Amino acid sequence: MSLWLRSVPRLRAAFLPASASRLALGDRRVLREEPRQRTYLLRRTLSSGGVKWLWPIDKESLSFHLVHKHGTRMGLYLMTLSSVNPLKTEDVERALFHLQRKNPAMRVGFRLRGNVWWFCEQDWKTHKVDFKILNEGTSSAEEIRRMCEKGFPDGATWKFRMIPRGKEAPSVMSEVKEDFPYQYNIIVTSHHALSDGLSASLIAKQMVELLNDVILGRHINDEATSQFIQREELWEVESRIIKKLEEDPQRHDYVKQTMPLSTPLLLQAFPRPSVDQVTTRYLSRIIDEDVTQKFVKQCKSHGVTINSAFSAVINIAIVSLMQKSGISQQSYQIAGNHIVSMLRYLKRTPRDAIGGYAVLLSHISRMTNDHANNFWEYAKEINRELKESLTSELPLEQKMARLLAQPDLVEEWARKPPPVVHDYGITNIGHFPMPERHLDDRVLVTDVASVAMVHNYIHMLLFLVYTFKGRCSFTLSYATDYIADDTATLLADEVISVYRKVSEVNGI
């Protein structure tokens, strides 16, 4: 059984010694700790020796910190910027300086205080963002691998890389090529304890806005544009969920039954490859704007979300590959892992809070040939099930049920993750946030891809879905010890094929 985002309510978190090999946080004395205990200690800000101590890190953040050292659980955005003139290094650095100044999470690092890990605020005047300009022609895929290999050493919790593409490189947006002839690949990543996918996308958007401001000499005010706060409300919610499951054994049993335990279906037809070095590879697909709009129209007419419909597309594609490989069954059980935001359950937490607010929802779909032949009815079934799960707080219940079932062995898990039990993961940020266009802009975002490192993790493959410039795009990140390159390509192409078919008609 896998254990992903494992925050323990009111961990007070702390006090997590760096040397602890077993962080057995399932102890009920910890789980039942009163919400108000140690509040003063964690809320005060301390300073000593030039370090501004914030509060001890919670267990969930520590789990991110440990596995990042193994080069996994990291998310990245790969953007293409097109500019009127060649970009100057000092302009980009100045934009990042303002970005760090206006967003507290970009100044936060991790340090030991005694034998306990703490969040600490770094001096933004002297501690610069980790930014490098690389040589033209540098492989973005290879640079992403290098950025992720060692995690975030030396307090560098945000990383930015810029790769010139050359004036002659083709542009995805050919209509702006003449006015914006210079192109650059920008890679953005951050520590997952400080930023989830949505937060990182907003930071990437603001970076482009500030770069335009710097180039044009606009005034940039001192106003902060986000907050980095303790997740006390989340701990309170999780404490309530723990108590609910302990007092309602029937509900607890039901929650456990909603999480898969079996080998992923896809591996029956496509056995795991043998590799010398485990890593993550990825491939991206872009769907034409007209097909995207037809798909969106179908979703609206059938009353389903785009995420539910896309999940149905993936399920149909997996079953199609199974059948093409010669495996035919009366029904199929497909387990999806949906990444959703915990902010939907938090009422007091401000919407501009930046941090790790993602949680997983396991969803098991039992699919028959009737479902495949009546796609939109199947999509409505998935939409209903996902909506009920989100409304009932099932993602948090699953998270706490995993915690109750298995003591948290953070460092052991980082060394040897549990076997994968889901067929796929999916995260959908919707429309990628774009800067508002101005007539005098000197820099535009002309392309974007979302990438995640999933090897030695709970996913064997993860679909990262988003809409950019009216076109649906997705990246398929896959672990090389579970999925072969050919299998990943077959699946991505089958997803495109199913997506196109269901966009045209009311059923397959």
Side-chain angles (χ1 to χ4, degrees), residues 287-447:
I287 302 172
D288 297 339
E289 185 175 355
D290 61 332
V291 178
T292 299
Q293 295 309 310
K294 290 177 182 178
F295 186 80
V296 172
K297 185 177 180 180
Q298 290 275 25
C299 289
K300 291 181 178 179
S301 67
H302 289 91
V304 302
T305 65
I306 293 174
N307 187 71
S308 296
F310 202 96
S311 300
V313 166
I314 296 172
N315 293 353
I316 297 286
I318 290 175
V319 169
S320 177
L321 290 185
M322 296 289 294
Q323 294 172 337
K324 289 178 180 179
S325 71
I327 298 178
S328 180
Q329 302 173 186
Q330 288 187 340
S331 64
Y332 303 84
Q333 179 174 293
I334 304 173
N337 223 2
H338 297 252
I339 301 177
V340 299
S341 175
M342 291 184 284
L343 290 173
R344 68 173 60 240
Y345 303 115
L346 307 180
K347 307 303 180 185
R348 303 193 311 270
T349 302
R351 298 299 96 177
D352 63 348
I354 282 185
Y357 289 99
V359 65
L360 289 173
L361 167 64
S362 290
H363 175 255
I364 300 174
S365 176
R366 292 173 176 83
M367 205 188 92
T368 66
N369 290 329
D370 287 341
H371 287 127
N373 295 325
N374 297 277
F375 175 82
W376 289 105
E377 288 302 313
Y378 178 50
K380 285 194 282 188
E381 179 180 314
I382 289 181
N383 188 78
R384 175 182 56 77
E385 292 171 350
L386 291 177
K387 184 177 180 180
E388 290 175 354
S389 296
L390 292 173
T391 301
S392 67
E393 300 182 317
L394 184 60
L396 292 173
E397 290 178 316
Q398 289 178 345
K399 178 180 175 182
M400 295 298 102
R402 287 190 290 263
L403 177 63
L404 288 170
Q406 181 182 4
D408 191 12
L409 311 178
V410 175
E411 293 185 359
E412 291 184 20
W413 188 92
R415 287 193 298 267
K416 186 179 180 181
V420 170
V421 294
H422 292 85
D423 291 275
Y424 66 93
I426 180 171
T427 178
N428 189 339
I429 67 168
H431 296 285
F432 186 83
M434 289 292 297
E436 182 180 349
R437 181 77 180 271
H438 299 93
L439 292 176
D440 58 350
D441 280 347
R442 292 295 180 265
V443 176
L444 296 178
V445 180
T446 51
D447 198 11

Side-chain angles (χ1 to χ4, degrees), residues 283-285 310 463-466 472-476 492 495-496:
L283 51 84
S284 298
R285 293 289 187 268
F310 202 96
F463 286 88
L464 301 102
V465 187
Y466 51 95
C472 176
S473 301
F474 69 86
T475 301
L476 177 56
V495 166
I496 293 289

Side-chain angles (χ1 to χ4, degrees), residues 67 84 150 180 184:
V67 295
V84 174
K150 297 181 180 179
F180 295 82
Y184 302 82

